[in-house]
Amino acid sequence: MGTFKIEGGHTLNGVVQPQGAKNEALQILCAVLLTDEKITISNIPDIIDVNKLIVLLQNLGVAVEKLNRNTYTFQSNNIDLDYLESDKFREEGKSLRGSIMIVGPLLARFGKGFIPKPGGDKIGRRRLDTHFEGFINLGAKFRYNREEYFYGVEAPNGLTGAYMLLDEASVTGTANILMAAVLAKGTTTIYNAACEPYLQQLCRMLNSMGAKITGVGSNLITIEGVEKLGGCTHQILPDMIEIGSWIGLAAMTRSEVTIKNVSWENLGVIPTAFRKLGITIEKVNEDDIFIPAHTNGYEIKGDIDGSILTIADAPWPGLTPDLLSIFLVVATQARGEVLIHQKMFESRLFFVDKLIDMGAKIILCDPHRAVIIGHDFKSQLKATKMSSPDIRAGISLLIAALSAKGTSVIQNIDQIDRGYENIDERLLALGAKIERLD
């Protein structure tokens, strides 16, 4: 496992270009299994989770050609279904959360799909019921091997469209069911569907391949099944989570940073939420964000009745849960207090003990809520040695280390590399003092 050594307390300056969206890439890459024609995808982030999925697709028989660092072609005209029942697949599939989304396309096109219980961040229980209940509604038969944690669905006679009300607006669940339904017979209606920009991107890609999907961007999606899909060209959006991370980093280190080509219309309430913490966000050149140096700090804006501000996650168009760790660490140097309410995952806030060790004033109320009392930069966080527990906590600890007094060490940085492309090189370009150690 790699390690970052960070000398904190330095202001940064410069321009950053956000990477392609990790969460969109995982969906889009699985969708290449729906056709035997060539698909070209650009702006693919060069990160561990995405690269693992590309290797898994290659082992499944997908022909992959790398045109440049972030552009690939994929052609699924020689799929090896026996690989799905191999020990190698059991190992590779369980190491990646996004691998669950190969099941829908395989079920739709080949009548069966298997997956070991997928891994990913250790942030609490992450149920898969929505995925498999959706497949069952489409006519698939479900089986689960409890001893080997292995899931399977089969529909040898094909899938049939159905109406379904999802028990939760799961993004990956909606994507998986959607990909299964595009080749089903008849009409499928998905109510309480997720409607994140990345899900909208998947719908647009599938429609460009010949699918018939309406209601894109709403929580009521209708799919008219088609017999076959073709190839297409698709460009992945910039990563809204990484954009939020750069905003938080700039504020916390009181740095002047410009973030290029952010796709403002797909950021939703993210800029508004940062502004509630008192952070200045300026829109420049149509699609860029400029964060000025907050030399006088930033002040949390309470509710209109004077109550303490609450920042909570919610399904889109609410605030994405992936950014709450960033908001939490940025609040440690704000002027005022804020309650962070993480509703979705019961273990995501447990990394705050490391921030408390650094001198942050945080009260962990329960697994879902934490109160942060900001220092207003009157007291710097103190450098320490810590380990990254998951992607988003890892980048939050990195932001804390960059603002702290002294030299910090972050171990297990593979967790950060799973979601952030060459983060150390890009920080060095801004003037950060960071070193990657083996």
Side-chain angles (χ1 to χ4, degrees):
M1 293 293 181
T3 297
F4 280 148
K5 181 180 178 182
I6 305 110
E7 183 183 302
H10 300 283
T11 56
L12 313 181
N13 186 277
V15 177
V16 293
Q17 176 75 38
Q19 68 185 38
K22 167 184 178 281
N23 291 337
E24 179 187 343
L26 297 177
Q27 298 176 27
I28 296 300
L29 289 174
C30 293
V32 306
L33 294 167
L34 286 164
T35 180
D36 60 2
E37 296 185 19
K38 186 174 288 188
I39 292 176
T40 302
I41 304 174
S42 59
N43 204 27
I44 296 175
D46 184 12
I47 55 177
I48 287 178
D49 275 10
V50 169
N51 293 336
K52 278 185 176 182
L53 182 56
I54 291 173
V55 170
L56 189 151
L57 291 172
Q58 287 178 303
N59 291 336
L60 189 52
V62 179
V64 178
E65 182 181 358
K66 188 173 184 178
L67 303 183
N68 58 50
R69 179 170 180 168
N70 302 107
T71 304
Y72 291 74
T73 65
F74 302 86
Q75 190 161 11
S76 307
N77 58 345
N78 191 25
I79 297 299
D80 177 16
L81 294 177
D82 292 336
Y83 167 69
L84 295 174
E85 302 189 57
S86 68
D87 291 338
K88 186 176 183 181
F89 174 65
R90 291 170 191 264
E91 284 301 311
E92 292 178 341
K94 71 182 182 182
S95 69
L96 174 67
R97 179 73 184 176
S99 62
I100 182 63
M101 287 182 289
I102 70 169
V103 178
L106 290 172
L107 178 64
R109 188 169 162 212
F110 300 105
K112 60 181 178 180
F114 308 109
I115 197 73
K117 187 175 182 179
D121 291 325
K122 306 304 180 186
I123 53 177
R125 183 176 179 236
R126 306 178 74 179
R127 60 198 294 275
L128 299 174
D129 300 51
T130 304
H131 299 249
F132 291 106
E133 286 173 2
F135 298 147
I136 292 168
N137 284 331
L138 294 173
K141 292 183 178 179
F142 170 74
R143 56 188 174 89
Y144 175 52
N145 185 325
R146 291 184 180 275
E147 293 182 1
E148 299 182 359
Y149 297 106
F150 203 69
Y151 301 86
V153 281
E154 295 178 289
N157 299 320
L159 300 172
T160 303
Y163 171 88
M164 61 187 82
L165 172 62
L166 303 189
D167 60 346
E168 62 175 345
S170 164
V171 178
T172 55
T174 301
N176 226 348
I177 297 165
L178 183 69
M179 289 188 282
V182 291
L183 295 179
K185 298 173 185 175
T187 302
T188 299
T189 303
I190 307 174
Y191 197 19
N192 195 30
C195 53
E196 271 75 355
Y198 306 143
L199 203 286
Q200 296 175 40
Q201 282 282 95
L202 174 64
C203 291
R204 295 185 188 107
M205 174 184 171
L206 293 173
N207 280 341
S208 72
M209 294 167 66
K212 296 180 179 179
I213 305 169
T214 57
V216 178
S218 76
N219 68 347
L220 182 63
I221 298 176
T222 302
I223 308 107
E224 298 287 342
V226 297
E227 291 186 4
K228 193 176 189 300
L229 295 178
C232 73
T233 299
H234 180 82
Q235 180 169 323
I236 291 172
L237 287 174
D239 195 315
M240 71 170 81
I241 314 302
E242 197 201 41
I243 292 165
S245 303
W246 289 116
I247 294 172
L249 169 69
M252 189 77 167
T253 58
R254 295 197 273 190
S255 302
E256 190 174 287
V257 174
T258 299
I259 311 167
K260 302 289 289 184
N261 304 316
V262 299
S263 186
W264 265 93
E265 68 272 20
N266 290 300
L267 293 179
V269 300
I270 292 172
T272 301
F274 275 111
R275 287 172 178 141
K276 287 182 178 179
L277 287 184
I279 296 168
T280 301
I281 296 177
E282 300 176 10
K283 182 177 182 180
V284 294
N285 301 327
E286 296 300 324
D287 210 27
D288 301 343
I289 285 176
F290 174 68
I291 310 296
H294 288 72
T295 52
N296 296 320
Y298 42 91
E299 184 172 358
I300 296 171
K301 297 174 173 59
D303 289 342
I304 56 174
D305 65 353
S307 302
I308 184 172
L309 175 68
T310 297
I311 293 181
D313 57 333
W316 189 268
L319 185 64
T320 171
D322 283 349
L323 274 178
L324 285 194
S325 300
I326 308 295
F327 281 99
L328 190 152
V329 74
V330 171
T332 64
Q333 286 295 1
R335 200 157 47 248
E337 303 81 32
V338 64
L339 172 67
I340 300 292
H341 191 174
Q342 164 62 263
K343 299 175 184 176
M344 189 171 293
F345 303 110
E346 65 265 23
S347 301
R348 189 162 237 170
L349 296 184
F350 287 166
F351 79 101
V352 302
D353 60 339
K354 300 171 179 63
L355 295 176
I356 294 170
D357 289 344
M358 297 177 77
K361 294 180 181 179
I362 302 173
I363 302 168
L364 187 60
C365 308
D366 55 44
H368 293 276
R369 296 177 300 162
V371 174
I372 299 90
I373 303 161
H375 284 304
D376 190 21
F377 292 102
K378 292 176 181 176
S379 173
Q380 270 187 285
L381 297 181
K382 301 174 183 64
T384 189
K385 183 177 180 180
M386 45 197 163
S387 180
S388 173
D390 64 72
I391 299 175
R392 308 308 172 188
I395 199 70
S396 301
L397 295 175
L398 179 55
I399 291 172
L402 287 163
S403 74
K405 183 178 181 180
T407 300
S408 296
V409 172
I410 303 179
Q411 298 174 328
N412 195 28
I413 61 171
D414 282 4
Q415 289 285 1
I416 301 173
D417 289 336
R418 286 178 49 218
Y420 291 84
E421 182 176 317
N422 299 316
I423 189 66
D424 51 327
E425 295 177 14
R426 298 160 79 193
L427 285 169
L428 285 168
L430 294 177
K433 307 295 183 183
I434 180 170
E435 183 180 1
R436 182 184 290 264
L437 309 174
D438 292 331

